[in-house]
Amino acid sequence: MFKIDEYLSLLRSEKLKRAVRIQSEIIHHSRNFLKQKGFIEILPVIISPITDPLTDYRIRGEIECYGFKYQITKSMIFHKQISLLSVPRIFSFSPNVRIEPASRERSGRHLIEFVQLDIEMKEAGRDEIMQLGEGLLAHIVENIKANCEPDLEFFHRDLKIPEQPFKKISYQEALRRYGTDYEIELSKRAAEPIWILDFPIEGREFYDREYSDQSGILVDMDLIYPEGYGEALSGGEREYQYEKIKKRIEMKEIGLKAYEIYLKFAEKGLFPSAGFGIGIERLTRYICGLSHIEETRMFAKLPGVLGL
Ligand code: ASP
Ligand code: MG
């Protein structure tokens, strides 16, 4: 059932109006920052024969036309890598569809359709892409503070420009200190954004690069917002060599057939690269200090709820 009255009251609320105004500024300042750093904005991809497997290998959202099968994009990861064959630094505001379990309806952090600012940089290492992420977040906060003061006051939000470099903790250490809920525990305790590094191969996707001298550990990272807002972004260095990609896909027990087209590109030669994807709605939630993610955008779609 579509709840029209709830919808109308949200649409007319001061909260949503101000959140989307801040969101528009976030998008504007992200673009400015990345363009200054020599990045080119590419248009997003919504359907493709290849998309991010994520932890759910089932195909969700298939469109058949002309006898071909397209999937709705869960992320633009492979398109990011392939774009680097043309230009060396790219970004895109990419719509992603991820059918989360209905139990996540009230997590405050999950939408089944969201937009991520997807960034990829040719021949970059993890340190370089982390520095870019830190600079981007600091630039956004600085400009929102300067340009959206009345909105931040409305939200009673006293934001600090995060100090660079951000703190770092390894996945192993985070797990040892905080247990399996390390992400949320770390986020609750943190006063500044913090990086989690070096995830184990089992829990992540096949495209994050494995250390050449540490088997089973990936050269990747997540950034965690402070004050309990949870994950901000995921990223890392990429596997780009055909044989390694093939091995990684096989380890996940996904049929190679599903990634046939991507593997053809890898066979012809992909560049080494690093990148990340940062969710715009979660970023808006953090900047505004909101508890519910559905208040961060127009037409939010919560898991298990009919959205517009
Ligand atoms: N593909 C990742 C994600 O969607 C982001 C990245 O690694 O660039 O979580
Ligand atoms: Mg992630």
Side-chain angles (χ1 to χ4, degrees):
M1 267 287 288
F2 186 73
K3 297 178 182 156
I4 182 87
D5 292 325
E6 268 181 36
Y7 216 91
L8 282 172
S9 74
L10 178 62
L11 274 178
R12 291 171 181 147
S13 71
E14 196 58 29
K15 229 183 195 178
L16 185 72
K17 237 176 266 181
R18 289 183 186 266
V20 293
R21 189 153 64 210
I22 287 191
Q23 185 162 81
S24 169
E25 289 291 305
I26 291 173
I27 293 169
H28 171 74
H29 295 294
S30 309
R31 278 203 170 103
N32 279 354
F33 177 85
L34 290 167
K35 282 182 185 164
Q36 262 174 32
K37 302 272 176 201
F39 284 77
I40 289 192
E41 181 169 6
I42 62 166
L43 294 175
V45 171
I46 298 191
I47 56 168
S48 174
I50 45 167
T51 194
D52 201 326
L54 294 169
T55 40
D56 181 357
Y57 304 138
R58 280 171 300 162
I59 293 176
R60 311 288 290 267
E62 198 173 72
I63 294 176
E64 196 170 333
C65 42
Y66 318 112
F68 305 125
K69 284 185 177 150
Y70 288 94
Q71 291 177 62
I72 299 172
T73 326
K74 292 191 219 165
S75 96
M76 262 177 68
I77 181 69
F78 306 120
H79 302 84
K80 291 202 292 183
Q81 268 186 301
I82 292 167
S83 298
L84 301 184
L85 298 173
S86 170
V87 282
R89 293 175 173 211
I90 59 103
F91 71 97
S92 191
F93 287 93
S94 154
N96 291 185
V97 174
R98 300 182 185 178
I99 314 296
E100 300 284 352
S103 57
R104 290 187 163 169
E105 179 192 339
R106 305 258 42 107
S107 73
R109 295 181 294 127
H110 293 95
L111 294 175
I112 66 161
E113 178 194 61
F114 68 96
V115 173
Q116 72 174 332
L117 170 52
D118 240 328
I119 298 173
E120 198 71 20
M121 196 171 173
K122 181 174 156 184
E123 271 139 24
R126 184 176 64 184
D127 286 347
E128 201 175 349
I129 205 73
M130 283 167 61
Q131 258 178 37
L132 185 87
E134 294 183 0
L136 172 68
L137 190 61
H139 180 85
I140 294 169
V141 173
E142 190 180 345
N143 281 281
I144 297 290
K145 278 174 77 78
N147 300 310
C148 304
E149 208 188 311
D151 298 317
L152 291 177
E153 261 170 33
F154 172 85
F155 289 119
H156 307 292
R157 193 75 175 126
D158 180 20
L159 273 182
K160 306 230 161 9
I161 302 171
E163 211 174 292
Q164 301 174 59
F166 298 175
K167 290 205 175 73
K168 302 172 183 69
I169 185 171
S170 70
Y171 163 84
Q172 278 306 336
E173 183 58 19
L175 189 68
R176 196 185 62 77
R177 277 197 221 164
Y178 307 114
T180 46
D181 272 345
Y182 62 88
E183 182 189 307
I184 214 65
E185 291 304 317
L186 197 59
S187 179
K188 274 195 217 150
R189 286 170 170 81
E192 295 263 314
I194 177 164
W195 295 106
I196 306 180
L197 306 181
D198 299 345
F199 285 88
I201 206 163
E202 304 81 40
R204 304 284 275 201
E205 306 316 324
F206 67 76
Y207 48 76
D208 285 357
R209 192 172 79 77
E210 186 181 15
Y211 278 93
S212 30
D213 55 354
Q214 286 181 75
S215 155
I217 312 286
L218 306 175
V219 195
D220 63 357
M221 75 286 178
D222 273 6
L223 181 69
I224 306 299
Y225 289 126
E227 304 165 73
Y229 288 99
E231 182 193 318
L233 68 80
S234 297
E237 291 183 17
R238 314 302 185 187
E239 293 294 0
Y240 62 97
Q241 289 156 311
Y242 176 71
E243 288 301 333
K244 287 199 176 151
I245 297 175
K246 229 171 92 181
K247 193 183 113 212
R248 294 285 302 278
I249 297 178
E250 280 167 345
M251 271 176 69
K252 290 279 185 193
E253 294 176 4
I254 316 174
L256 289 174
K257 187 96 185 101
Y259 288 97
E260 199 180 10
I261 300 180
Y262 173 59
L263 284 166
K264 278 187 186 167
F265 279 98
E267 209 172 2
K268 296 273 180 200
L270 290 168
F271 291 114
S273 70
F276 62 80
I278 177 164
I280 295 300
E281 293 87 344
R282 287 181 176 182
L283 175 55
T284 310
R285 176 175 178 250
Y286 167 65
I287 298 273
C288 300
L290 291 165
S291 34
H292 303 295
I293 194 136
E294 65 268 33
E295 296 169 340
T296 63
R297 63 164 291 164
M298 296 282 176
F299 317 120
K301 292 174 187 73
L302 288 170
V305 178
L306 182 62
L308 190 60

